Amino acid sequence: MAPSLDFSEWWSKDTRKGTPVVVTMENPNYSVVEINGPDAAFRPVEKSRGKNAKQVTWVLLLKAHRAVGCVASLATFLWALLGAIKKRLIFRQGVSMDNEKMGKGKALFTVIKMFLVTALAILAFELVAYFKGWHYFRNPHLHMPRTSDIQSLFHMVYVAWLTFRADYIAPTIQALSTFCVVLFLIQSVDRLVLCFGCFWIKYKKIKPRIEGNQFESDDVEGSSFEYPMVLVQIPMCNEKEVYEQSISAVCQLDWPKDRFLIQVLDDSDDESIQYLIKAEVSEWRQKGINIVYRHRLVRTGYKAGNLKSAMGCDYVKDYEFVAIFDADFQPNPDFLKTTVPHFKDNPNLGLVQARWAFVNKNENLLTRLQNINLSFHFEVEQQVNGVFLSFFGFNGTAGVWRIKALEESGGWLERTTVEDMDIAVRAHLNGWKFIFLNDVKVLCEVPESYEAYRKQQHRWHSGPMQLFRLCLPAIIKSKIPTWKKGNLILLFFLLRKLILPFYSFTLFCIILPLTMFIPEAELPVWVICYVPVFMSFLNILPAPKSFPFIVPYLLFENTMSVTKFNAMVSGLFQLGSSYEWVVTKKAGRSSESDLLAAVERESKTMNQPQILRGASESELSELTQLKEQKESAPAAKKKVNKIYRKELTLAFLLLTASVRSLLAAQGVHFYFLLFQGVTFLLVGLDLIGEQMS
């Protein structure tokens, strides 16, 4: 039989301990009391002495467990807090922000870590001082410096800083500023020559002309011009806002319908957008327009790969010319009649480029500043180069190419993000000539948000440097005249694509602010004020209505040099960002005349019965569903344009630095320096608050 393990009887057994004690009292009034054990009042205490020890042990263990749990919870909370901060500041999880704001989060997190390391270093120093006995009250023999000693020490440090600044820092900055000023003057002379060339073109009324009237008769057979076969391409990728108006404008080109074909080259990865574009193409096909829809499953080579794939179709060999329009471009109906006839009796002509016109140039300050730049680019740079050199960079859209020129130049290549400039350079090396038509304008959009504009400028400035590395051997080995090689290398690539961002960023964004703290390296007033203002006047001449924005334009161009310089470096050294292709976001705007024309066309189609030829019931039902979805879809809200604060901060810094340089002779350097410091402090706090919000 197993032994019993029930200790309840042992625990409850009443055991008596000790010996009896007899106490005799002299007072007879008291009786004898026999004490055989503890008093009854204390008996429970005696009995429970063993149980209380166990209870105390368990209570202590429970409290210790709770304490350990609190410490573990606190450690878990701190770890989760640090992880959340890291995710918010570095990886931006849960926040829909772009790569630049991720970079700003990394920078802020780095500042926080540096501050933490500094605090730990100070704490370590305090601990060392404590154990070494470096305390005045505990060690009276420790020498404490007096105020005069500290002032003498600061004076020595300040004198040493002035000597080092004057002997080493100032000469370096002065040499760099001299080099940048020379580049600045060279680029200014180039701009001045271009402006004189544009003035000469205006004065002499020089422009490409078509000999005779090629379209005297409305009858195609009776006209004096034989309509060539023209292929029209519209490359697009997720262009939900603008696909409809671009397809509509191209389908209304005034050209015999049997003499041109429209290719809608869609790289969209959104199925809903694909269906919408298919529906638009189907509608125009039912109206008798020769239009096809092509979609690639894999978007290799971006736009260049899309165009290359389309040119590989078998039916392309039947066409002589190809016109290219991006998704936001809306050509006038007479576009082909004003461009294609220039190829007649001109077998060496490979490209006819039209000018861009912007429907949203007055939308906000950013679009106004872009209009200044692009107006100078088209009316001055491209027009002068087209008239005197017969060469300029293809803009990638609103142009007509001779297909033979494309084929002999190697076709579209996927090696850079500026495939338009690539094919233009290769065609120029093969002896083809270009014509720029300043009077033929094609409506399009400029980016309305700074984010889209910054990404566009990054691609436009990184691609040419990447292309320069690839094309330099071909340029040197080509058979074109030496002066054309010099124009390509020195002016087209080096001066306008590399030197301009370099000196603008170095001179106005680095050296100019440093002169506030290093007065020994002062910049001349004519470099800071007179020449930049004069060049800004020249840039604004093609867009005279933008004259009130000359000061924002000057500051904006200098601050944008940061993005352009970064893009130039990434393209020159083939960094990862030089291969990025981000489609510029469009707003889908149209001009007032386009809207009126669209309303008129819509009213005509409403009055006339529409004939759908060759459409199956499934296609018709699909079109009906897509129309209902488009009508029921809520209108997109207009996003508020946000200029990034760092660009505004840099522009304000350049402005105050320029004013300080101009007024330094009047002894107000200290006040501007103080004002600048307070500005930096406020802007820094504002940026930190923006990041933490």
Side-chain angles (χ1 to χ4, degrees), residues 56 234 311 377 402:
V56 169
I234 312 177
M311 294 300 294
H377 170 71
R402 189 189 297 270

Side-chain angles (χ1 to χ4, degrees), residues 280-576:
E280 186 70 18
V281 171
S282 298
E283 288 184 3
W284 285 103
R285 188 184 298 116
Q286 309 312 319
K287 297 177 182 179
I289 301 299
N290 194 9
I291 183 173
V292 296
Y293 174 84
R294 284 178 53 87
H295 178 265
R296 295 193 305 164
L297 297 178
V298 181
R299 191 188 175 209
T300 57
Y302 302 111
K303 182 180 177 181
N306 198 359
L307 295 174
K308 181 179 179 180
S309 174
M311 294 300 294
C313 297
D314 295 335
Y315 53 79
V316 173
K317 64 178 181 294
D318 299 330
Y319 294 85
E320 186 177 357
F321 304 101
V322 55
I324 303 174
F325 299 99
D326 283 349
D328 60 317
F329 279 72
Q330 308 165 48
N332 292 327
D334 62 344
F335 175 82
L336 293 179
K337 287 188 175 182
T338 55
T339 55
V340 175
H342 287 277
F343 290 96
K344 185 180 181 181
D345 300 329
N346 196 354
N348 294 327
L349 183 61
L351 169 67
V352 175
Q353 174 71 62
R355 181 178 175 174
W356 299 359
F358 311 108
V359 298
N360 61 339
K361 61 182 179 181
N362 297 323
E363 181 65 23
N364 53 44
L365 178 60
L366 180 62
T367 58
R368 292 177 185 272
L369 299 180
Q370 292 180 73
N371 180 56
I372 296 174
N373 260 342
L374 293 174
S375 297
F376 183 86
H377 170 71
F378 288 111
E379 189 161 346
V380 178
E381 290 183 356
Q382 291 208 315
Q383 186 174 207
V384 171
N385 291 328
V387 170
F388 295 103
L389 301 177
S390 298
F391 167 72
F392 48 84
F394 176 48
N395 298 318
T397 178
V400 181
W401 275 94
R402 189 189 297 270
I403 295 181
K404 182 180 178 181
L406 292 176
E407 294 175 349
E408 291 185 357
S409 302
W412 299 104
L413 299 181
E414 306 170 4
R415 56 182 182 174
T416 66
T417 57
V418 284
E419 75 293 329
D420 46 6
M421 186 180 294
D422 186 7
I423 188 63
V425 172
R426 287 185 282 116
H428 181 60
L429 295 179
N430 281 273
W432 293 98
K433 296 181 179 180
F434 302 161
I435 286 180
F436 178 77
L437 302 179
N438 190 55
D439 297 334
V440 181
K441 300 179 180 180
V442 180
L443 293 177
C444 62
E445 294 183 13
V446 288
E448 296 183 7
S449 67
Y450 180 77
E451 177 184 357
Y453 176 69
R454 181 184 58 82
K455 293 179 179 179
Q456 181 194 70
Q457 292 298 307
H458 187 278
R459 177 168 55 87
W460 284 5
H461 287 81
S462 64
M465 288 295 96
Q466 186 181 3
L467 178 63
F468 177 65
R469 291 173 55 98
L470 299 173
C471 288
L472 183 59
I475 295 174
I476 297 175
K477 297 177 182 178
S478 64
K479 298 179 180 180
I480 61 176
T482 305
W483 68 271
K484 289 188 176 182
K485 295 181 181 180
N487 173 69
L488 271 177
I489 297 175
L490 299 179
L491 295 181
F492 186 76
F493 279 111
L494 291 182
L495 182 61
R496 297 167 188 167
K497 302 298 188 296
L498 187 145
I499 292 178
L500 177 60
F502 171 76
Y503 89 77
S504 181
F505 170 74
T506 307
L507 184 62
F508 294 105
C509 297
I510 295 180
I511 297 178
L512 180 59
L514 284 179
T515 56
M516 299 184 63
F517 308 99
I518 305 176
E520 293 86 356
E522 286 290 341
L523 289 174
V525 176
W526 58 270
V527 174
I528 300 173
C529 181
Y530 301 147
V531 176
V533 171
F534 177 71
M535 299 309 299
S536 298
F537 274 115
L538 293 181
N539 290 346
I540 286 182
L541 285 180
K545 294 183 179 180
S546 302
F547 178 78
F549 306 98
I550 184 171
V551 175
Y553 169 75
L554 180 60
L555 296 175
F556 180 73
E557 280 302 297
N558 289 330
T559 54
M560 276 304 299
S561 62
V562 179
T563 299
K564 296 177 181 178
F565 179 80
N566 180 30
M568 182 265 293
V569 172
S570 64
L572 187 63
F573 296 100
Q574 294 186 345
L575 303 180

Side-chain angles (χ1 to χ4, degrees), residues 172 498 581:
T172 304
L498 187 145
W581 179 288

